[in-house]
Amino acid sequence: MAEHQVTGGGPGTPAAVAQERRLRKDLGFWALTAIGFSNIVGSGWLFAALYAAQTAGPASLLSWLGAGLLCALVALVMIELGASRPEGGGTVRWPLHSGGPLVGTLVGWSVLLSVGGTAAEISAIMQYAAHYLPDLYNGRTLSASGVALAAGLSVVLTALNWFAVRMFARLNNLISIFKIVVPVLTVAALIASGWHSGRLTDHGGFAPYGYAACLTALAGGGIVYSVNGFQAPLDFSGETRNPRRTLPAAVLAGIGLAVLMYLALQVAFLFTVPESLLGGGWHGVSFESPFGQLALILNLHWLSSLLYADAVLSPGGSAYVGVALDARHTYALAKNGTLPRYFMKVDARSGVPRRALVVNLAVIVLFLLPIGGWQQIVSVMGDMYLLIYAASAVAAAVFRADPATTTAGWIPGLRWLTPLSFVVASEFVYWSGWAVLRLALPMVLGGLLLFLLMRRPGTTPAPGEPPRRPLAAELRTGAWLVCYLAALTVLSQLGSFGGTGLLPAPYDSLTVAALALALFFWAVRSGTRYLKVVPAPAPVAAE
């Protein structure tokens, strides 16, 4: 039992604790709320209202409400983890402690791949910048000058994160204020320009394509992508003053503010699109730059100019937060032993994991290169992160079930919230559709090869790595996650969300829910057994 604690540099040893304590606890409620809000509001607000309307018509309003409620449910579980076990890059650390090296490797691998999400935001900036600089693109791929500019922007974002976390928070606060002002002005200006009554009943009614389209809009309309990112404050839990009190309010406030903003934008879009564009119903409404072009049609040229400027700033703000989050994730992966511990180093003066920033800069630039299928691959990055939500639900249940790690349980009903959260995250993944999951889930399963490579005969444990058990034991402990990913892939191929339709709606979603519930209890049982052999290290003190 004590063997886990004796190897130098391990997660709970003085070397790791010393690095963790270098993280400055400078973040309060408003800074964390701004981080969460800024990470949620990126390029999504510029497009999601159009795509959601195309998919579900006015019923897309229900999709936004549903996404907000479901994300709040998932957030409650992650808040429990962040407040009870505050740690830099916690969303990567918790699955390792509760599920073993295989689960930690697969989740860590998916997080490392999700760095492409930051590259996608930078790409969105480039797309809008092409309105003024058309030479940035050769067709649908970045030109040489476009790659150079995108790489330069990545360097700037990394440099801005290079200094103390307090500077990061202050600059992010300023960006978040602009992110609020521009959408509010957009809603007010569009509504003042003309209000078309009857939009909830005309052109096919409130749900012209059926209420099942509300589920499709969650993924196909860009709603999940737009609301995703609420977990950002939790990755700064190790740098938060009084995380038990601050984190819950900040995370839920970020979700609430973002959903209210998205609902207002959806209403403004639905009620101000000119009648002349609705001849083919909501399916026929098409814009390349929805709010910018709509403003031009309504002779709001000043608003259009402002929107094109914000089309650079909003994704830039999300990319700015994304660079900081990616560094914390890489820092945590180094603590896990998935990456060399060299990248765990935290600069003593600034409290920033600078080596992690550098490795993520390299990954971001690689994703920006105009390689084949890049756009299709980066479209799955947001869905990959949903797997962390599922793994976090299991982690919360495991820690609550193990007497050595049980916390005060200050979120009521955690016993039923964790399985419900796991099912919700699984449905979100499934509703993304076969076109996305046929790429995303096999890519995550590629982490299994990384795990086997790390455990091949003749390799020695990394400094501070938990004591290795026989490979068969490690595979049994994490087998639930491999089966979970494989089953979701098969069900997606057979289901009604872009699959063959052999498993029709709503039976496909019900099957996913039943399977997810069974796998959840398997995962919790495996995790509690694992903790009896390899206890989780005590979290670094929050104060």
Side-chain angles (χ1 to χ4, degrees):
M1 297 285 285
E3 185 180 0
H4 179 58
Q5 305 294 334
V6 298
T7 50
T13 58
V17 170
Q19 297 300 321
E20 188 75 16
R21 291 192 183 279
R22 285 185 176 182
L23 297 173
R24 305 289 179 83
K25 302 188 187 310
D26 288 331
L27 302 180
F29 169 76
W30 290 111
L32 288 174
T33 299
I35 288 171
F37 181 83
S38 185
N39 198 47
I40 293 172
V41 181
S43 56
W45 85 266
L46 298 161
F47 294 101
L50 167 66
Y51 297 146
Q54 286 178 339
T55 305
S60 56
L61 295 170
L62 298 179
S63 299
W64 287 110
L65 290 173
L69 291 173
L70 295 176
C71 284
L73 172 66
V74 175
L76 287 174
V77 174
M78 299 189 73
I79 287 169
E80 168 76 16
L81 286 167
S84 61
R85 303 183 66 84
E87 190 173 3
T91 51
V92 176
R93 299 285 288 159
W94 303 320
L96 172 74
H97 294 326
S98 63
L102 177 55
V103 172
T105 300
L106 287 173
V107 174
W109 174 248
S110 67
V111 171
L112 195 61
L113 290 175
S114 70
V115 172
T118 301
E121 293 296 319
I122 295 174
S123 176
I125 297 173
M126 302 302 295
Q127 181 178 334
Y128 280 97
H131 178 74
Y132 303 100
L133 301 170
D135 291 339
L136 294 178
Y137 280 84
N138 289 325
R140 294 188 175 183
T141 60
L142 287 169
S143 64
S145 60
V147 171
L149 182 59
L153 180 58
S154 304
V155 171
V156 170
L157 291 170
T158 300
L160 289 174
N161 275 283
W162 193 260
F163 303 101
V165 67
R166 183 175 294 176
M167 175 183 174
F168 160 78
R170 288 174 177 172
L171 184 55
N172 184 66
N173 287 345
L174 294 175
I175 295 173
S176 296
I177 291 172
F178 194 81
K179 283 186 171 188
I180 294 173
V181 170
V182 174
V184 169
L185 283 176
T186 300
V187 171
L190 290 178
I191 291 176
S193 68
W195 181 271
H196 300 278
S197 60
R199 286 293 169 82
L200 299 183
T201 55
D202 298 341
H203 308 290
F206 182 71
Y209 313 115
Y211 285 95
C214 295
L215 298 178
T216 304
L218 287 170
I223 291 177
V224 168
Y225 175 81
S226 299
V227 179
N228 191 30
F230 61 84
Q231 80 290 342
L234 299 174
D235 286 304
F236 290 87
S237 59
E239 298 157 83
T240 300
R241 297 190 301 269
N242 195 357
R244 181 175 292 272
R245 182 180 65 186
T246 305
L247 280 171
V251 173
L252 294 178
I255 294 173
L257 288 173
V259 171
L260 285 175
M261 190 197 75
Y262 282 126
L263 278 171
L265 287 164
Q266 189 71 61
V267 168
F269 185 85
L270 290 170
F271 281 88
T272 58
V273 170
E275 285 286 337
S276 59
L277 299 180
L278 287 167
W282 292 104
H283 276 334
V285 179
S286 179
F287 294 110
E288 292 182 5
S289 175
F291 286 111
Q293 290 178 268
L294 183 57
L296 287 175
I297 292 173
L298 298 174
N299 293 318
L300 298 172
H301 295 279
W302 65 270
L303 179 61
S304 178
S305 299
L306 182 63
L307 285 166
Y308 273 103
D310 187 67
V312 174
L313 188 61
S314 282
S318 289
Y320 177 52
V321 174
V323 168
L325 289 177
D326 293 338
R328 272 68 182 176
H329 290 153
T330 302
Y331 161 83
L333 289 173
K335 290 174 69 177
N336 286 0
T338 304
L339 293 176
R341 302 188 73 82
Y342 172 84
F343 297 110
M344 182 182 154
K345 177 74 173 178
V346 176
D347 181 69
R349 295 185 62 186
S350 65
V352 174
R354 289 179 170 176
R355 294 176 180 177
L357 279 173
V358 172
V359 72
N360 283 118
L361 172 62
V363 175
I364 291 170
V365 172
L366 285 175
F367 271 103
L368 288 168
L369 295 177
I371 60 177
W374 177 84
Q375 289 183 328
Q376 192 175 22
I377 292 175
V378 297
S379 68
V380 309
M381 294 304 154
D383 297 303
M384 280 186 179
Y385 211 79
L386 291 169
L387 297 173
I388 295 183
Y389 302 161
S392 295
V394 172
V398 169
F399 291 139
R400 290 285 294 147
D402 183 71
T405 56
T406 297
T407 63
W410 49 272
I411 290 186
L414 189 66
R415 178 172 296 180
W416 63 266
L417 276 175
T418 48
L420 185 58
S421 176
F422 187 88
V423 171
V424 166
S426 303
E427 295 286 10
F428 268 46
V429 172
Y430 174 72
W431 292 334
S432 297
W434 172 241
V436 173
L437 294 185
R438 66 182 178 182
L439 291 174
L441 297 185
M443 287 176 68
V444 176
L445 279 171
L448 178 60
L449 298 178
L450 175 62
F451 171 80
L452 294 175
L453 182 64
M454 292 167 57
R455 292 296 192 275
R456 70 186 187 277
T459 57
T460 57
E465 184 180 323
R468 289 189 176 182
R469 301 183 300 159
L471 180 60
E474 299 284 15
L475 290 173
R476 282 196 302 270
T477 299
W480 71 266
L481 183 53
V482 176
C483 294
Y484 173 73
L485 295 172
L488 280 179
T489 303
V490 172
L491 288 175
S492 180
Q493 200 276 332
L494 297 175
S496 62
F497 288 82
T500 61
L502 291 177
L503 189 60
Y507 302 107
D508 53 347
S509 294
L510 292 174
T511 302
V512 170
L515 176 70
L517 198 60
L519 283 167
F520 172 81
F521 290 111
W522 177 13
V524 173
R525 185 175 61 181
S526 296
T528 51
R529 288 177 176 175
Y530 173 74
L531 285 184
K532 291 178 181 178
V533 179
V534 185
V540 177
E543 300 297 336

